[in-house]
Amino acid sequence: MRKLKLQIQMTIDGFVGGPNGENDWVFLPGTPNPEALQQMIGFGAELAAGCDTLLLGRKLAGSGFCTYWENVADNQPENPWNPLAQLIAGHRKIAFSSSETTLPGRNLEVENGDLATAVQALKEQPGKDILVYGGAGFVSSLVSLNLIDEYYLIVNPVAIGAGLSIFKDRKILKLESSIALKSGKVLNKYVPVQVGS
């Protein structure tokens, strides 16, 4: 059975976006630390390399996510994010939408069926694991339906006071690993705890 893995940036007070989805807080002020950048790129590429399918919500898929990474992969060989871009551009991508039947992007399919049924069927297919990056509403639906098998939460040393959460009810998670990055961000890996076990 394939696992569904979530990688998402989060503020220290638990939000994945500002009230209107703002994510400017992800980019910390000051001079970027090259070692910290390599840590983030290495982690992202390693996680993506263990997967062969990406799940996207309609908003993220329609926001230029695919075309951005395709452009980095095809036209920016010197960009430090190029190795990750190559993986994202090459992976099978499935965008979930109740309204759209086509969206722009290489290797991109649009799924209009029931979310839980479609994801469960994907998990049962052969292949590597499945990865989801966002957006907030789509990920929140996956979390509420208990479809996420591993949570990779990148906690930023920033509080924004109000915003979008992916958690709508109580979830008990077990911390499996925690890595402090040179940037001050902390990468926490959690797995769901089965109630009663």
Side-chain angles (χ1 to χ4, degrees), residues 93-106:
K93 290 174 278 294
I94 303 169
F96 286 79
S97 174
S98 57
S99 56
E100 305 292 332
T101 54
T102 59
L103 288 164
R106 189 181 304 161

Side-chain angles (χ1 to χ4, degrees), residues 60-83:
L60 182 61
S63 71
F65 173 87
C66 294
T67 50
Y68 170 80
W69 288 107
E70 287 165 16
N71 182 48
V72 174
D74 296 344
N75 304 311
Q76 300 177 32
E78 303 305 316
N79 188 319
W81 290 96
N82 185 274

